[in-house]
Structures are given as structure tokens and as C-alpha cells.
Amino acid sequence: MAGKKKDIVLQITINNQEQWEEVLSSKGLLVVDVYQAWCGPCKTTVSLFRKIKNELGDDLLQFAVAEADSIDALEKYRGNCEPTFLFFAGGDLVAVVRGANAPLLQKTILDQLEAEKKVLNHGLERNVIKDEALLEEEEELSPLPAQNEDEELVPSGKSYTVAIIKPDAVAHGKADEIIMKIQEAGFEILANEERTMTESEARDFYKHRAGEEKFQELVQFMSSGPCHVLIISKMGDEDVIPAWREFIGPTDVEIAKKEKPESLRAQYGTEVLYNAVHGSNDGDQASRELAFFFPSFKLQQQHTEESASRTPERTLALIRPEVLKDRKDEVLQSIRDAGFSIAMQKEIMLTEQQVEQFYKEHADQDYFPALKQQMTSGPVLALALVKEHAVKHWRNMLGPADLNEALKTAPDSLRARFTPKETTINQLHGSSSTDEAENELNFFFPVEQTLATIKPDALEEHRDEIMERIQAAGFNISQIRETQLSQEMAEEFYKEHKGKPFFDQLTNYMCRGPCLMMTLSKENAVQEWRSLMGPTDPTEAQISSPESLRSLFAKSVLQNAVHGSSNLNHAMEKIKFIFGDIEEQRENNDDATNDVKQSEENGENTAPEESEAEPPEENS
């Protein structure tokens, strides 16, 4: 019987300085994967290196892995989370590749191997280099002349997201194949960890989906075997999250096969739950998932100024009544031109008590009566602005709080440009620190609850996709119930439309099959949910809000997929109706009505409940 074939070690492991010097003295081309102890070597390149080694069969080509923390020569590479591959020939550095970019790695290996053969066989001069990135770092650390605050602009870094190759794909031996396709599509894999989640971990990771019918099945599946957890990025400045979502395809595998046949889910998934791969829906979710799987990665990022510059901040901006009335669009355009995103906005009429509470630290100042009069003279627009160093940049744009000083020293500032000359109170406000920003944002955008409904036809056909978009938008689902409305319940639920021509058609439709009722929680939840739903008419939604739920999933004005409360009072009433005791709610209807009337007297926004417009006859 023939003996077993001896396994050939693909990558030499270098653990200390002595081994490093010994390996570097070897003949030929050495490709070293320099890694950090907390994340380990880059596993995603192993299959590529094995393929190249098998195809070339060249003894002049060697691969190695080296831990930066234990080797003196690699001191300057410590703390760098991005995969780094150093190419050495004759002990000299000849090339560097950053990121797990398979096409670039393969090309560099072939080019440098060919160059080294020419050196060895023909005596050509070796092209020795210095790592330019390290030189740039040294220059950045060198003392620089003092700069004005406006000039301290740090360029944005790359965006990151978390991807998971799920247990079904790993069990079928598809992980390496999927990883190669990820790299070929231009994604960089910065970390790859194979791990098996416990049920507790899976439950914690997917806790935002705890109200779903198949939640327990999801937990059991994700803890059923090993998966690959990846941190991925994209070359250049491209936002990786939408690119990754596009690449993996729709959650529903059947839809993916029809609409995105080249997507990963279409190729490797079998059904919604077993759809092969996972991706973060947005930046906030990516940050949470990164912290969940790679806490050290997050810590490492926080220790660098560069990473701090990549962390978006939020700040509050207020446009006061006079400018809001006359020059709102100009101010908003200036904000957008400066690179801010407007995460939330609310136009609100403040009471004197609210102004006194918000500006309580200014109550003893001589200007406070004029400020209070100004802030209550009409509606103000509160904005949640998002950008790197948002607090600092917004305050720089505003200019001095004193108008005379703003006009003299910062004539191009927003306060100088937009405050009417006849007033002594500037017309724009900004938070002075990140802590103050969060407190002020909580004042104007407190966590609210609203009622959301997925209607019968959409629940049957698009449940998973709608739920995924709800979670991606940052809502927490605090209550969830699938229920079949009786005729009596439907009439009570839509009682504000009783007597309208479409009332019977609407209530009959809502009784056709089960609905999914949810209590959603989020800052500014009522308005945020209405924005996510889009206009009542799906034709209008497709024009004005093409990414809204009604644009994507509604069939008609009647069958428009989802329902939501129009204001906070109606939301509380409907939540009590669905999740509380119905009889008790009916007894309290008079109290709820009185609350609405009182709110109207106080100038609060109490628009009527969303109108389910009369559907065209052909949709009846």
C-alpha cells in the first residue's frame, strides 16, 4: 500500500525576529502576509496562493505569514487593520499590496517573480523600494505649521461593512468559491474569521428580528454550523454598503434568480432563510455588527485619528422663524453644498415653556427675552445634520453668535449672510459639543412610537423584504402581532374614514387575510415611518419616492402595501387599539379626543389620520 502523500506547507509561519531574518535570506521571491494578532492572517488569499503555486510549481516562489506584534522589523506595521502583503527578493522589499485584492495580488506575484528571475539569470539590477505609505505616515507625524480650524480637513477613509457566508454555503463547500467571487468583483476583504455561533450569540445578533414568525428557525440555522464572517471594503472612495447589497441580491432567492441572476444569493441560496450570504443594511448596522464580531477591530480603529475622521457625527441645527419664512431653501442648499446629510427634520411651533427649557442656561442673559420672543414668533425648523466632525464644521459655517462680530470678521458665514439686518438675534443655531448635540437632538427628536401595518396582499408576497427594509431604516420593533381583522375591528381601525365613498371597500379589503401589526420605535418615528412608506398613491410614490415601500411593493391606491399613523396622538390611539384591550380603548376614546384638541390648542402638529384615497374603479 502506498504511503500517504506528505502535506506541503503553503505558507511558512514566522514568529520572531530570528526566523524573519532567516526566511528573508532565502533565494527567490517571498510574499509575506503581515497580520495583527487580534485578527490573524488573511485566510481569503490562501486559495489564490495555492492555485498560483500549483500552476507555476516554481521553487523560487515562497509564501509566509508574519505577526507584526512579535517581529521587530515589522514594528511600523503594527495596529494596521488592513491586510498587507510585502514582497521580498534577496532580502529587499520590491513591492507592497494592501487589501485582499485577488487580481492585483496575482498580477504582482507574476510580475515580481519574472523580475527576480531576470535578476538571478541575467544580472539585472533589482528594483528595491520603500513602503510609500510608511513614508507618508512619517511625514504626517512631522511637526507642521499651525493651521486655521477651517484648514484642518482630513480626507474621508474607506467605508466598511460586515458580510457573513452562512452555514448552508459553508456546509456545501462553497465558501472559497464565494470569497473568490467577492474579490473578483473588486471588494477588499480586510478580515475573515470562521466561527460557529452559539444559539445565544445568534439570538443576540438577530435580536432586532425577534418579533418575526421564523425567528427561532433563523437562530437555530445560524448556530447550526460554521460560517465565515468578513469585513469588506471597496477600492477608492465608493460606499461599500450599497455595492455589497447589490452584489448579494434580494433576500428572497426566487426573486434574486429572476431579477439578479448573477447575484450571490441567486447562485448559492435555496430560499429566504437559506440564502447563503448576509450583509449589513446600512452604516449603523455595519458598526453594530463590526463591534459584535470584531470588538478589537473597533478598538483599533478608535485609536487612530484617521479612523476618527471616518466616524460620522450628528449635530442639531435650528433655522429660526424669520429666515425659515423667507430663505429656507437657500439655507438648506448651503447645508447640502457643505456635504452634510439631513438625517431628520421637523418643523415645529415652540411654546414659551419649551424655549425656556431648551435655553435654560441663557435665561439670565439680557438678550433672553428677545430670543424667546423670536423663537415663538413662528415655526422653527430643527435638523439633525450628519457629517464627519459635524459639530465643528457646522459651527464654523455659522460664524460668531454676535451678529456685529459675524459681519465684521466672518462676512461669508451663514449668520452674516442670512440674518435680517433689523434683528439683533441671529437666525441659526448649532450645538457646541457632541454631548450637547445629543441632548439637543433628543429634545427635538425624542424616541417615539408609531403603529405600522403590513396589509394582507403585501404580507403574503413581500413580508421578508419589507421587514428587512424596516430594520435597515433603524426602527426597533417593540411589539408585533399577526392578526386577522374582523369586519368590526376594521371599521373601528378606520373609523375616521366612515362615511367616505371608499370606506366599505377599504374595510372589506383589510379583512381579506392576516395583517402584520407592529409598534415601531425610533427618533422621530412617526415621520420617519411615513417617509419610508411613501405617498399613498404608488404611482406618485414611484415618481417622488422611488425607494419607498409603496413604490416598490404597492399594487394600487387601495392595495398600497403598508399603513402608518399620521401623528403621535393617532399612533398612541391605534397602538392601544391593537395591542391593548379594545373595550378599554373604546371607553377612553373621549379622553384621546380631548388630548388631540388640547394639542391643537397648543399648536402641535395634529394632522388628520392618513387618507386612504378612494381607489380607481378598475382597482375595485
Side-chain angles (χ1 to χ4, degrees), residues 181 185 246-250 255-268:
K181 292 200 173 193
E246 178 75 14
F247 184 61
I248 63 178
I255 294 176
K257 288 178 179 178
K258 291 177 184 176
E259 298 179 0
K260 299 285 183 181
E262 297 302 314
S263 67
L264 293 182
R265 284 169 171 166
Q267 296 179 66
Y268 299 102

mmCIF file with all atom_site columns, all heavy atoms in Angstrom, residues 181 185 246-250 255-268:
data_model
loop_
_atom_site.group_PDB
_atom_site.id
_atom_site.type_symbol
_atom_site.label_atom_id
_atom_site.label_alt_id
_atom_site.label_comp_id
_atom_site.label_asym_id
_atom_site.label_entity_id
_atom_site.label_seq_id
_atom_site.pdbx_PDB_ins_code
_atom_site.Cartn_x
_atom_site.Cartn_y
_atom_site.Cartn_z
_atom_site.occupancy
_atom_site.B_iso_or_equiv
_atom_site.pdbx_formal_charge
_atom_site.auth_seq_id
_atom_site.auth_comp_id
_atom_site.auth_asym_id
_atom_site.auth_atom_id
_atom_site.pdbx_PDB_model_num
ATOM 1   N N   . LYS A 1 181 ? -15.188 35.088 -5.717  1.00 0.00 ? 181 LYS A N   1
ATOM 2   C CA  . LYS A 1 181 ? -16.088 35.943 -6.497  1.00 0.00 ? 181 LYS A CA  1
ATOM 3   C C   . LYS A 1 181 ? -16.180 37.334 -5.876  1.00 0.00 ? 181 LYS A C   1
ATOM 4   O O   . LYS A 1 181 ? -16.293 38.335 -6.588  1.00 0.00 ? 181 LYS A O   1
ATOM 5   C CB  . LYS A 1 181 ? -17.479 35.305 -6.578  1.00 0.00 ? 181 LYS A CB  1
ATOM 6   C CG  . LYS A 1 181 ? -17.496 34.039 -7.414  1.00 0.00 ? 181 LYS A CG  1
ATOM 7   C CD  . LYS A 1 181 ? -18.877 33.684 -7.906  1.00 0.00 ? 181 LYS A CD  1
ATOM 8   C CE  . LYS A 1 181 ? -18.770 32.512 -8.875  1.00 0.00 ? 181 LYS A CE  1
ATOM 9   N NZ  . LYS A 1 181 ? -19.987 32.286 -9.645  1.00 0.00 ? 181 LYS A NZ  1
ATOM 10  N N   . ALA A 1 185 ? -14.948 40.749 -7.856  1.00 0.00 ? 185 ALA A N   1
ATOM 11  C CA  . ALA A 1 185 ? -15.887 41.861 -8.062  1.00 0.00 ? 185 ALA A CA  1
ATOM 12  C C   . ALA A 1 185 ? -15.319 43.195 -7.570  1.00 0.00 ? 185 ALA A C   1
ATOM 13  O O   . ALA A 1 185 ? -16.005 44.216 -7.617  1.00 0.00 ? 185 ALA A O   1
ATOM 14  C CB  . ALA A 1 185 ? -17.213 41.560 -7.359  1.00 0.00 ? 185 ALA A CB  1
ATOM 15  N N   . GLU A 1 246 ? -26.158 45.258 -3.565  1.00 0.00 ? 246 GLU A N   1
ATOM 16  C CA  . GLU A 1 246 ? -26.442 44.983 -4.971  1.00 0.00 ? 246 GLU A CA  1
ATOM 17  C C   . GLU A 1 246 ? -25.807 43.670 -5.396  1.00 0.00 ? 246 GLU A C   1
ATOM 18  O O   . GLU A 1 246 ? -26.406 42.882 -6.135  1.00 0.00 ? 246 GLU A O   1
ATOM 19  C CB  . GLU A 1 246 ? -25.910 46.147 -5.827  1.00 0.00 ? 246 GLU A CB  1
ATOM 20  C CG  . GLU A 1 246 ? -26.093 45.966 -7.327  1.00 0.00 ? 246 GLU A CG  1
ATOM 21  C CD  . GLU A 1 246 ? -27.527 46.186 -7.778  1.00 0.00 ? 246 GLU A CD  1
ATOM 22  O OE1 . GLU A 1 246 ? -28.336 46.730 -6.999  1.00 0.00 ? 246 GLU A OE1 1
ATOM 23  O OE2 . GLU A 1 246 ? -27.828 45.805 -8.915  1.00 0.00 ? 246 GLU A OE2 1
ATOM 24  N N   . PHE A 1 247 ? -24.600 43.409 -4.927  1.00 0.00 ? 247 PHE A N   1
ATOM 25  C CA  . PHE A 1 247 ? -23.847 42.222 -5.333  1.00 0.00 ? 247 PHE A CA  1
ATOM 26  C C   . PHE A 1 247 ? -24.482 40.934 -4.787  1.00 0.00 ? 247 PHE A C   1
ATOM 27  O O   . PHE A 1 247 ? -24.500 39.913 -5.467  1.00 0.00 ? 247 PHE A O   1
ATOM 28  C CB  . PHE A 1 247 ? -22.400 42.342 -4.839  1.00 0.00 ? 247 PHE A CB  1
ATOM 29  C CG  . PHE A 1 247 ? -21.507 41.219 -5.275  1.00 0.00 ? 247 PHE A CG  1
ATOM 30  C CD1 . PHE A 1 247 ? -21.275 40.966 -6.621  1.00 0.00 ? 247 PHE A CD1 1
ATOM 31  C CD2 . PHE A 1 247 ? -20.864 40.420 -4.340  1.00 0.00 ? 247 PHE A CD2 1
ATOM 32  C CE1 . PHE A 1 247 ? -20.437 39.936 -7.019  1.00 0.00 ? 247 PHE A CE1 1
ATOM 33  C CE2 . PHE A 1 247 ? -20.029 39.389 -4.729  1.00 0.00 ? 247 PHE A CE2 1
ATOM 34  C CZ  . PHE A 1 247 ? -19.814 39.146 -6.076  1.00 0.00 ? 247 PHE A CZ  1
ATOM 35  N N   . ILE A 1 248 ? -25.014 40.978 -3.554  1.00 0.00 ? 248 ILE A N   1
ATOM 36  C CA  . ILE A 1 248 ? -25.583 39.752 -2.983  1.00 0.00 ? 248 ILE A CA  1
ATOM 37  C C   . ILE A 1 248 ? -27.003 39.505 -3.475  1.00 0.00 ? 248 ILE A C   1
ATOM 38  O O   . ILE A 1 248 ? -27.466 38.369 -3.504  1.00 0.00 ? 248 ILE A O   1
ATOM 39  C CB  . ILE A 1 248 ? -25.545 39.745 -1.443  1.00 0.00 ? 248 ILE A CB  1
ATOM 40  C CG1 . ILE A 1 248 ? -26.384 40.866 -0.847  1.00 0.00 ? 248 ILE A CG1 1
ATOM 41  C CG2 . ILE A 1 248 ? -24.112 39.813 -0.952  1.00 0.00 ? 248 ILE A CG2 1
ATOM 42  C CD1 . ILE A 1 248 ? -26.403 40.860 0.682   1.00 0.00 ? 248 ILE A CD1 1
ATOM 43  N N   . GLY A 1 249 ? -27.716 40.557 -3.877  1.00 0.00 ? 249 GLY A N   1
ATOM 44  C CA  . GLY A 1 249 ? -29.043 40.372 -4.445  1.00 0.00 ? 249 GLY A CA  1
ATOM 45  C C   . GLY A 1 249 ? -30.159 40.388 -3.408  1.00 0.00 ? 249 GLY A C   1
ATOM 46  O O   . GLY A 1 249 ? -29.918 40.455 -2.202  1.00 0.00 ? 249 GLY A O   1
ATOM 47  N N   . PRO A 1 250 ? -31.430 40.288 -3.863  1.00 0.00 ? 250 PRO A N   1
ATOM 48  C CA  . PRO A 1 250 ? -32.581 40.326 -2.962  1.00 0.00 ? 250 PRO A CA  1
ATOM 49  C C   . PRO A 1 250 ? -32.570 39.178 -1.952  1.00 0.00 ? 250 PRO A C   1
ATOM 50  O O   . PRO A 1 250 ? -32.033 38.102 -2.210  1.00 0.00 ? 250 PRO A O   1
ATOM 51  C CB  . PRO A 1 250 ? -33.787 40.196 -3.910  1.00 0.00 ? 250 PRO A CB  1
ATOM 52  C CG  . PRO A 1 250 ? -33.283 40.669 -5.239  1.00 0.00 ? 250 PRO A CG  1
ATOM 53  C CD  . PRO A 1 250 ? -31.839 40.254 -5.280  1.00 0.00 ? 250 PRO A CD  1
ATOM 54  N N   . ILE A 1 255 ? -36.805 35.661 -6.124  1.00 0.00 ? 255 ILE A N   1
ATOM 55  C CA  . ILE A 1 255 ? -36.758 36.998 -6.737  1.00 0.00 ? 255 ILE A CA  1
ATOM 56  C C   . ILE A 1 255 ? -35.346 37.282 -7.248  1.00 0.00 ? 255 ILE A C   1
ATOM 57  O O   . ILE A 1 255 ? -35.156 37.842 -8.333  1.00 0.00 ? 255 ILE A O   1
ATOM 58  C CB  . ILE A 1 255 ? -37.198 38.064 -5.721  1.00 0.00 ? 255 ILE A CB  1
ATOM 59  C CG1 . ILE A 1 255 ? -38.674 37.876 -5.369  1.00 0.00 ? 255 ILE A CG1 1
ATOM 60  C CG2 . ILE A 1 255 ? -36.960 39.471 -6.265  1.00 0.00 ? 255 ILE A CG2 1
ATOM 61  C CD1 . ILE A 1 255 ? -39.180 38.812 -4.298  1.00 0.00 ? 255 ILE A CD1 1
ATOM 62  N N   . ALA A 1 256 ? -34.345 36.886 -6.463  1.00 0.00 ? 256 ALA A N   1
ATOM 63  C CA  . ALA A 1 256 ? -32.955 37.092 -6.881  1.00 0.00 ? 256 ALA A CA  1
ATOM 64  C C   . ALA A 1 256 ? -32.668 36.379 -8.197  1.00 0.00 ? 256 ALA A C   1
ATOM 65  O O   . ALA A 1 256 ? -32.002 36.916 -9.086  1.00 0.00 ? 256 ALA A O   1
ATOM 66  C CB  . ALA A 1 256 ? -32.010 36.599 -5.784  1.00 0.00 ? 256 ALA A CB  1
ATOM 67  N N   . LYS A 1 257 ? -33.177 35.159 -8.336  1.00 0.00 ? 257 LYS A N   1
ATOM 68  C CA  . LYS A 1 257 ? -32.930 34.391 -9.573  1.00 0.00 ? 257 LYS A CA  1
ATOM 69  C C   . LYS A 1 257 ? -33.581 35.042 -10.783 1.00 0.00 ? 257 LYS A C   1
ATOM 70  O O   . LYS A 1 257 ? -33.048 34.977 -11.895 1.00 0.00 ? 257 LYS A O   1
ATOM 71  C CB  . LYS A 1 257 ? -33.442 32.961 -9.393  1.00 0.00 ? 257 LYS A CB  1
ATOM 72  C CG  . LYS A 1 257 ? -32.575 32.126 -8.450  1.00 0.00 ? 257 LYS A CG  1
ATOM 73  C CD  . LYS A 1 257 ? -33.143 30.730 -8.257  1.00 0.00 ? 257 LYS A CD  1
ATOM 74  C CE  . LYS A 1 257 ? -32.235 29.914 -7.329  1.00 0.00 ? 257 LYS A CE  1
ATOM 75  N NZ  . LYS A 1 257 ? -32.773 28.568 -7.065  1.00 0.00 ? 257 LYS A NZ  1
ATOM 76  N N   . LYS A 1 258 ? -34.739 35.682 -10.554 1.00 0.00 ? 258 LYS A N   1
ATOM 77  C CA  . LYS A 1 258 ? -35.431 36.334 -11.670 1.00 0.00 ? 258 LYS A CA  1
ATOM 78  C C   . LYS A 1 258 ? -34.824 37.694 -12.002 1.00 0.00 ? 258 LYS A C   1
ATOM 79  O O   . LYS A 1 258 ? -34.601 38.019 -13.167 1.00 0.00 ? 258 LYS A O   1
ATOM 80  C CB  . LYS A 1 258 ? -36.912 36.507 -11.323 1.00 0.00 ? 258 LYS A CB  1
ATOM 81  C CG  . LYS A 1 258 ? -37.690 35.203 -11.260 1.00 0.00 ? 258 LYS A CG  1
ATOM 82  C CD  . LYS A 1 258 ? -39.132 35.463 -10.831 1.00 0.00 ? 258 LYS A CD  1
ATOM 83  C CE  . LYS A 1 258 ? -39.903 34.153 -10.661 1.00 0.00 ? 258 LYS A CE  1
ATOM 84  N NZ  . LYS A 1 258 ? -41.278 34.386 -10.159 1.00 0.00 ? 258 LYS A NZ  1
ATOM 85  N N   . GLU A 1 259 ? -34.562 38.491 -10.940 1.00 0.00 ? 259 GLU A N   1
ATOM 86  C CA  . GLU A 1 259 ? -34.144 39.879 -11.162 1.00 0.00 ? 259 GLU A CA  1
ATOM 87  C C   . GLU A 1 259 ? -32.635 40.068 -11.164 1.00 0.00 ? 259 GLU A C   1
ATOM 88  O O   . GLU A 1 259 ? -32.123 40.955 -11.841 1.00 0.00 ? 259 GLU A O   1
ATOM 89  C CB  . GLU A 1 259 ? -34.766 40.771 -10.074 1.00 0.00 ? 259 GLU A CB  1
ATOM 90  C CG  . GLU A 1 259 ? -36.288 40.774 -10.093 1.00 0.00 ? 259 GLU A CG  1
ATOM 91  C CD  . GLU A 1 259 ? -36.876 41.652 -8.999  1.00 0.00 ? 259 GLU A CD  1
ATOM 92  O OE1 . GLU A 1 259 ? -36.085 42.252 -8.231  1.00 0.00 ? 259 GLU A OE1 1
ATOM 93  O OE2 . GLU A 1 259 ? -38.121 41.756 -8.910  1.00 0.00 ? 259 GLU A OE2 1
ATOM 94  N N   . LYS A 1 260 ? -31.891 39.268 -10.388 1.00 0.00 ? 260 LYS A N   1
ATOM 95  C CA  . LYS A 1 260 ? -30.441 39.410 -10.277 1.00 0.00 ? 260 LYS A CA  1
ATOM 96  C C   . LYS A 1 260 ? -29.778 38.037 -10.378 1.00 0.00 ? 260 LYS A C   1
ATOM 97  O O   . LYS A 1 260 ? -29.192 37.531 -9.416  1.00 0.00 ? 260 LYS A O   1
ATOM 98  C CB  . LYS A 1 260 ? -30.063 40.064 -8.937  1.00 0.00 ? 260 LYS A CB  1
ATOM 99  C CG  . LYS A 1 260 ? -30.620 41.457 -8.722  1.00 0.00 ? 260 LYS A CG  1
ATOM 100 C CD  . LYS A 1 260 ? -29.877 42.490 -9.534  1.00 0.00 ? 260 LYS A CD  1
ATOM 101 C CE  . LYS A 1 260 ? -30.407 43.889 -9.238  1.00 0.00 ? 260 LYS A CE  1
ATOM 102 N NZ  . LYS A 1 260 ? -29.705 44.910 -10.053 1.00 0.00 ? 260 LYS A NZ  1
ATOM 103 N N   . PRO A 1 261 ? -29.853 37.398 -11.550 1.00 0.00 ? 261 PRO A N   1
ATOM 104 C CA  . PRO A 1 261 ? -29.350 36.014 -11.673 1.00 0.00 ? 261 PRO A CA  1
ATOM 105 C C   . PRO A 1 261 ? -27.854 35.863 -11.415 1.00 0.00 ? 261 PRO A C   1
ATOM 106 O O   . PRO A 1 261 ? -27.392 34.768 -11.115 1.00 0.00 ? 261 PRO A O   1
ATOM 107 C CB  . PRO A 1 261 ? -29.706 35.637 -13.118 1.00 0.00 ? 261 PRO A CB  1
ATOM 108 C CG  . PRO A 1 261 ? -29.890 36.947 -13.828 1.00 0.00 ? 261 PRO A CG  1
ATOM 109 C CD  . PRO A 1 261 ? -30.435 37.883 -12.803 1.00 0.00 ? 261 PRO A CD  1
ATOM 110 N N   . GLU A 1 262 ? -27.082 36.964 -11.516 1.00 0.00 ? 262 GLU A N   1
ATOM 111 C CA  . GLU A 1 262 ? -25.643 36.896 -11.262 1.00 0.00 ? 262 GLU A CA  1
ATOM 112 C C   . GLU A 1 262 ? -25.295 37.157 -9.800  1.00 0.00 ? 262 GLU A C   1
ATOM 113 O O   . GLU A 1 262 ? -24.127 37.099 -9.414  1.00 0.00 ? 262 GLU A O   1
ATOM 114 C CB  . GLU A 1 262 ? -24.911 37.924 -12.149 1.00 0.00 ? 262 GLU A CB  1
ATOM 115 C CG  . GLU A 1 262 ? -25.056 37.678 -13.645 1.00 0.00 ? 262 GLU A CG  1
ATOM 116 C CD  . GLU A 1 262 ? -24.554 36.302 -14.048 1.00 0.00 ? 262 GLU A CD  1
ATOM 117 O OE1 . GLU A 1 262 ? -23.451 35.925 -13.591 1.00 0.00 ? 262 GLU A OE1 1
ATOM 118 O OE2 . GLU A 1 262 ? -25.255 35.611 -14.804 1.00 0.00 ? 262 GLU A OE2 1
ATOM 119 N N   . SER A 1 263 ? -26.300 37.483 -8.977  1.00 0.00 ? 263 SER A N   1
ATOM 120 C CA  . SER A 1 263 ? -26.029 37.788 -7.571  1.00 0.00 ? 263 SER A CA  1
ATOM 121 C C   . SER A 1 263 ? -25.651 36.522 -6.813  1.00 0.00 ? 263 SER A C   1
ATOM 122 O O   . SER A 1 263 ? -25.949 35.397 -7.238  1.00 0.00 ? 263 SER A O   1
ATOM 123 C CB  . SER A 1 263 ? -27.254 38.434 -6.929  1.00 0.00 ? 263 SER A CB  1
ATOM 124 O OG  . SER A 1 263 ? -28.333 37.510 -6.849  1.00 0.00 ? 263 SER A OG  1
ATOM 125 N N   . LEU A 1 264 ? -25.010 36.708 -5.649  1.00 0.00 ? 264 LEU A N   1
ATOM 126 C CA  . LEU A 1 264 ? -24.583 35.558 -4.848  1.00 0.00 ? 264 LEU A CA  1
ATOM 127 C C   . LEU A 1 264 ? -25.773 34.748 -4.356  1.00 0.00 ? 264 LEU A C   1
ATOM 128 O O   . LEU A 1 264 ? -25.731 33.513 -4.340  1.00 0.00 ? 264 LEU A O   1
ATOM 129 C CB  . LEU A 1 264 ? -23.748 36.035 -3.652  1.00 0.00 ? 264 LEU A CB  1
ATOM 130 C CG  . LEU A 1 264 ? -22.390 36.670 -3.969  1.00 0.00 ? 264 LEU A CG  1
ATOM 131 C CD1 . LEU A 1 264 ? -21.671 37.039 -2.686  1.00 0.00 ? 264 LEU A CD1 1
ATOM 132 C CD2 . LEU A 1 264 ? -21.518 35.720 -4.799  1.00 0.00 ? 264 LEU A CD2 1
ATOM 133 N N   . ARG A 1 265 ? -26.837 35.418 -3.938  1.00 0.00 ? 265 ARG A N   1
ATOM 134 C CA  . ARG A 1 265 ? -27.992 34.683 -3.430  1.00 0.00 ? 265 ARG A CA  1
ATOM 135 C C   . ARG A 1 265 ? -28.678 33.883 -4.519  1.00 0.00 ? 265 ARG A C   1
ATOM 136 O O   . ARG A 1 265 ? -29.194 32.791 -4.271  1.00 0.00 ? 265 ARG A O   1
ATOM 137 C CB  . ARG A 1 265 ? -28.967 35.663 -2.766  1.00 0.00 ? 265 ARG A CB  1
ATOM 138 C CG  . ARG A 1 265 ? -28.488 36.129 -1.388  1.00 0.00 ? 265 ARG A CG  1
ATOM 139 C CD  . ARG A 1 265 ? -29.298 37.278 -0.839  1.00 0.00 ? 265 ARG A CD  1
ATOM 140 N NE  . ARG A 1 265 ? -28.953 37.570 0.557   1.00 0.00 ? 265 ARG A NE  1
ATOM 141 C CZ  . ARG A 1 265 ? -29.301 38.681 1.187   1.00 0.00 ? 265 ARG A CZ  1
ATOM 142 N NH1 . ARG A 1 265 ? -29.982 39.619 0.559   1.00 0.00 ? 265 ARG A NH1 1
ATOM 143 N NH2 . ARG A 1 265 ? -28.953 38.862 2.453   1.00 0.00 ? 265 ARG A NH2 1
ATOM 144 N N   . ALA A 1 266 ? -28.702 34.414 -5.736  1.00 0.00 ? 266 ALA A N   1
ATOM 145 C CA  . ALA A 1 266 ? -29.292 33.667 -6.853  1.00 0.00 ? 266 ALA A CA  1
ATOM 146 C C   . ALA A 1 266 ? -28.477 32.419 -7.160  1.00 0.00 ? 266 ALA A C   1
ATOM 147 O O   . ALA A 1 266 ? -29.023 31.368 -7.498  1.00 0.00 ? 266 ALA A O   1
ATOM 148 C CB  . ALA A 1 266 ? -29.393 34.560 -8.088  1.00 0.00 ? 266 ALA A CB  1
ATOM 149 N N   . GLN A 1 267 ? -27.159 32.523 -7.032  1.00 0.00 ? 267 GLN A N   1
ATOM 150 C CA  . GLN A 1 267 ? -26.294 31.400 -7.382  1.00 0.00 ? 267 GLN A CA  1
ATOM 151 C C   . GLN A 1 267 ? -26.160 30.355 -6.276  1.00 0.00 ? 267 GLN A C   1
ATOM 152 O O   . GLN A 1 267 ? -26.033 29.154 -6.559  1.00 0.00 ? 267 GLN A O   1
ATOM 153 C CB  . GLN A 1 267 ? -24.897 31.917 -7.735  1.00 0.00 ? 267 GLN A CB  1
ATOM 154 C CG  . GLN A 1 267 ? -24.856 32.800 -8.970  1.00 0.00 ? 267 GLN A CG  1
ATOM 155 C CD  . GLN A 1 267 ? -23.451 33.296 -9.254  1.00 0.00 ? 267 GLN A CD  1
ATOM 156 O OE1 . GLN A 1 267 ? -22.560 32.521 -9.585  1.00 0.00 ? 267 GLN A OE1 1
ATOM 157 N NE2 . GLN A 1 267 ? -23.244 34.602 -9.108  1.00 0.00 ? 267 GLN A NE2 1
ATOM 158 N N   . TYR A 1 268 ? -26.195 30.804 -5.016  1.00 0.00 ? 268 TYR A N   1
ATOM 159 C CA  . TYR A 1 268 ? -25.873 29.882 -3.915  1.00 0.00 ? 268 TYR A CA  1
ATOM 160 C C   . TYR A 1 268 ? -26.997 29.684 -2.905  1.00 0.00 ? 268 TYR A C   1
ATOM 161 O O   . TYR A 1 268 ? -26.910 28.780 -2.078  1.00 0.00 ? 268 TYR A O   1
ATOM 162 C CB  . TYR A 1 268 ? -24.622 30.390 -3.178  1.00 0.00 ? 268 TYR A CB  1
ATOM 163 C CG  . TYR A 1 268 ? -23.406 30.464 -4.055  1.00 0.00 ? 268 TYR A CG  1
ATOM 164 C CD1 . TYR A 1 268 ? -22.973 31.692 -4.573  1.00 0.00 ? 268 TYR A CD1 1
ATOM 165 C CD2 . TYR A 1 268 ? -22.697 29.323 -4.399  1.00 0.00 ? 268 TYR A CD2 1
ATOM 166 C CE1 . TYR A 1 268 ? -21.863 31.775 -5.392  1.00 0.00 ? 268 TYR A CE1 1
ATOM 167 C CE2 . TYR A 1 268 ? -21.578 29.395 -5.211  1.00 0.00 ? 268 TYR A CE2 1
ATOM 168 C CZ  . TYR A 1 268 ? -21.168 30.627 -5.707  1.00 0.00 ? 268 TYR A CZ  1
ATOM 169 O OH  . TYR A 1 268 ? -20.060 30.694 -6.521  1.00 0.00 ? 268 TYR A OH  1
#
